[in-house]
Amino acid sequence: QVQLVESGGGSVQTGGSLRLSCAASGYTYSSYFMAWFRQAPGKEREGVAAIDTDGTANYAASVRGRFTISQDNAKNTLYLQMNSLKPEDTAMYYCAARPNRPGWWALLRAGAYNYWGQGTQVTVSS
């Protein structure tokens, strides 16, 4: 059974940094396509970053240059390093997985992913 557990969220001030982790279990981690999403109150879930099995990363325009997605296959763990945080980054952050690479148009679409974690809250104050 696929299980994803996020951690690392918290409260920081504008300009601060956080590193989120997503521990995966129940499947062959290195063969799955992984991504981070976020959802703010009253808003739709939006894609933040995605990473292919070969390490190729894709980012939403709103976070490109500030966030870095990475993974450690030996630890079955996905990461999201978030720097230069802004109040508009405040949201619940979720990791997601699917067993193969989606089409390019769906890399950051929530509906393309099969498995989800419970989320970790990130709050950025001004």
Side-chain angles (χ1 to χ4, degrees):
Q1 182 176 354
V2 174
Q3 187 172 13
L4 304 172
V5 180
E6 302 94 335
S7 62
S11 297
V12 297
Q13 293 188 327
T14 297
S17 298
L18 284 173
R19 188 175 83 153
L20 306 183
S21 299
C22 172
S25 61
Y27 67 101
T28 304
Y29 176 84
S30 59
S31 66
Y32 273 51
F33 195 90
M34 305 294 295
W36 286 99
F37 287 78
R38 66 186 181 186
Q39 189 167 18
K43 295 188 176 181
E44 292 188 356
R45 191 167 297 191
E46 65 169 343
V48 174
I51 188 166
D52 207 336
T53 54
D54 65 358
T56 302
N58 289 271
Y59 297 94
S62 58
V63 307
R64 193 174 295 124
R66 299 188 298 122
F67 290 11
T68 302
I69 188 172
S70 63
Q71 58 192 354
D72 186 334
N73 290 339
K75 296 182 177 180
N76 291 356
T77 302
L78 177 73
Y79 301 101
L80 185 68
Q81 178 66 44
M82 306 186 295
N83 298 328
S84 303
L85 283 162
K86 306 175 182 180
E88 51 263 45
D89 295 318
T90 295
M92 185 72 78
Y93 283 71
Y94 300 89
C95 68
R98 57 172 284 143
N100 47 47
R101 192 181 195 279
W104 63 267
W105 63 91
L107 289 175
L108 295 177
R109 287 191 179 182
Y113 290 81
N114 308 87
Y115 305 103
W116 294 85
Q118 294 290 92
T120 185
Q121 177 68 38
V122 171
T123 302
V124 185
S125 58
S126 56

